[in-house]
Amino acid sequence: MTSGLSQHNFLEKNLGVLARRSPIAAQRIREVAPSPAIQLSLAPDGGLTGVVLAGTGARQLASRRAPIAEGEALANTVDAITNAAAVVLGFGVGHHVAALAAKLKLDGAVFVYEPDVALLRAVFEQVDCSGWMGASNVVILIDADDTGAMAGATQGLEALLASGTKILPHPPSRVRLDEAADRFIANFTGVMKAVRMMVVTTLVQMDVTVRNLTQNARWYATAAGIRDLKDAAAGRPAIIVAAGPSLRRNIDLLLDPAVRERVVIIAVQTVLKPLLAKGIRPHFVTALDYHEISRRFYEGLSAKDVEGVTLVAEPKCNPAILAAWPGALRFVADDTLDRILGDGLYRPLGKLTPGATVAHLAYYLARHLGCDPAILMGQDLGFTDGQYYSPGASIHQVWSGELNEFNTLEMLEWQRIMRMRSTLREATDHLGRPMYTDEQMSTYLVQFERDFLRDSHEGKLIIDATEGGVAKQHTLPMSLRHALDAYATQPLPALSKGEDAGSQARTRLAQCEERLRELRRSAGKVAAHSRDAGAALRDMLTHHTDQARVNTLIGTTRRMGEEAVREPAYWLVNHINQTGQLNRFKADRAIGADAALAPLERQKREIERDIKNVKWLEDAAHLVVDLLDDALVTLRTGEPKTRDEPPPVRTSGQPTPRVLVCVHMNFAYGGLGNARDLFAPLGNGQSVGAATLARVAKSREASGIVVLTDDGAAARRLVAESGITCEIEVVSFDARRGRAIAAGRAFARHCWRGGVGGLCAYDEVCEPSLLAPLLATRFAEAAACVGADWSLIDPALIDETIARFSEHPEGRPVTFSQAAPGLGCCVVSRAALADMAKAGGPTATIGAVLGY
């Protein structure tokens, strides 16, 4: 640090560098007046020191005699190998921050909390800090409660925060900062968790992202973009409709047709069906979710249902969404998919900021349209009134088969929240009251508040008309009615309809196939080069002491690396290899920070690092080959792959698991499942029990049928009447268990689940103590449990359930259908049955295993 107390004013030079990462702090420092309470001087070691006058006393900012050494000693408490980032509480006169910046350089980051902007001004006027600030990632934060500024400060530094972070209090600043430091740490820790979650999600989902991108190539190559929508509704309000519980409070205000004529309505995909059911047609609906379950938001919709509604999708969304969507489609441009398809298929579709959720995407779309203000509704980001979803959400339809007098939607909502109790966080709602949110929604809030901060600084208005949920910084709370009265005053201009590839679609799809084939061949070459480089590196490690041989091998691996880099698919392999790159970054930091390593030992560590690196690269290249193979199949057939195949659990040549359909036929005490007479005739002249057996026999996936009965003679009569061939096992049923389950299911007879203790229909026909040994003696891996009076059971549903179990038996030990009682079945593995039989008691039930 260069100092000259009376000769120089370095303020603008320092602020010019600081503004690159801390623009708000730089502006505030520039605006604040110099403070006479801050008195700086030079210490004997040449470093800056000083005091802050407070009342009749003075508080020291750094050591009077050796402030430079003091700062270096504090910085040395941070292990640069295990921590890529440091969070410093208090700037003081900056010696410790300068030492940390010099230690971490651009491979690390230093976040400093210092609310005294007058102090910062005084230091920056007297000391040239631009050198060390410019050669490192230093961020200064001045507001302990501004999580939006904190989130903005972490942009581009996410990997560093995820690589280890040390919180470093500055002792001379501790009393001066007081409780504000605690508030800052609490808020910054929340932001840090959100950032790390985003990093982890990116790493975990990278292969899924590329899978979805390549699967969606056929649509992306031919559908319209959003470029022509730029500023199409400039100055007009937009309502972003999310699916929070508070949506029910004001959704009916959108029923007025005049609202749609004056406000752009952008809905997240979760609320599309509830809006349409009320006769509300949004202009746009947004989609970006990875999972195939998102198709349920579009199931049953026709082109007429969504007339006038345009789906705006990120290309990384699950292809099941695009396959199910029957209406107008637009895409947000994606750099990765553009590069995959190559220059020949490139079109400028129009970009948006990547969003973590469909609500973020909806907000960015509103800003792309030029809309202002942006009005939020249903954006709770917390559990308003102990509820998770708004009424009419798709999940409510899934839960409908579980509802009864003692199992309500409200109970299921609360169970959904409590299932995540380990991640729950306390928050403050829009009225200043305590409420719950969770880590995931806190992550979403962090990104929103960062966006709101940026937009509000640009003079844009964000109105929170949710009328519930967490309080959001940088927004104006207002009821939706007041927002509409104030801003929905002019008709909307005509929005562009967009253009697709039209007659060029077939040509473009042919080009797309050719390009994917080229990348597939190239990725195979990258895998081969990586495999060969790995062999050379292992040879290098084995003969490490023979430096002549090592040098020859270094030349060999370098040539292999250069050949791999020249491959057109190399960038894609690296792109999907995000985890490997992060591990490489950590290894490089660890090697670089260890100054004690001798040259040969350093070389050995580098070789070990490179062996792991090329193995990651080889695996990633094989994955790219598989993904492109799948994409080519989708191009030819039009049937997308919407989920990953289950992990291999058996070697090639092993048989499919034997699954026996086990029919529960208890004559002495049937409970709810068999209370009616199995010999009662149906309309077709066949008895109830015989009809059940005849339908079960139509299953193609079952390895056999076993009837568990307490009356062999009666069972044989029903089998003979059905005309099928099956085994009959005469057993003794536990009447006490049957009576208990019957009592527990008494108020849920029409629900597949929802009895006391979570008991489900399958508990009526699944007795683990009988089934586990039966499967063992017949060398079967699972039982498909069926009631003898389920005369309407669907053989196709039995087959689908068995097939789903057979894909991954170890990962899906209980595979079931949520259909009404008697229509589907539940497949339970022998291991799961044995565990339940051993456990006994009220938890040894299917309902307990499936408990929320």
Side-chain angles (χ1 to χ4, degrees), residues 213-225 315 322 329 331 337-338 341 344-347 349 499-502 504-513 516 635:
L213 289 174
T214 53
Q215 287 292 310
N216 290 333
R218 61 179 291 110
W219 288 285
Y220 188 80
T222 57
L322 306 181
L329 172 65
F331 272 111
L337 189 49
D338 281 335
L341 296 183
L345 286 168
Y346 173 76
R347 295 176 297 154
L349 297 182
E499 297 292 336
D500 60 21
Q504 299 179 5
R506 182 173 297 179
T507 302
R508 292 182 65 81
L509 289 176
Q511 288 178 283
C512 184
E513 181 172 357
L516 294 183
L635 272 177

Side-chain angles (χ1 to χ4, degrees), residues 24 75 89 107 149 269 278 305 365 423 460 482 498 523 683 691 791 821:
I24 297 174
L89 303 178
D107 288 334
Q269 62 180 11
K278 281 181 168 285
D305 293 329
L365 177 61
T423 66
K460 298 172 184 174
H482 287 155
S791 56

Side-chain angles (χ1 to χ4, degrees), residues 135-165:
S136 57
N137 297 306
V138 175
V139 177
I140 294 181
L141 297 161
I142 58 177
D143 188 340
D145 300 309
D146 193 346
T147 53
M150 296 174 198
T154 64
Q155 279 192 294
L157 304 176
E158 294 88 350
L160 299 176
L161 282 168
S163 298
T165 304

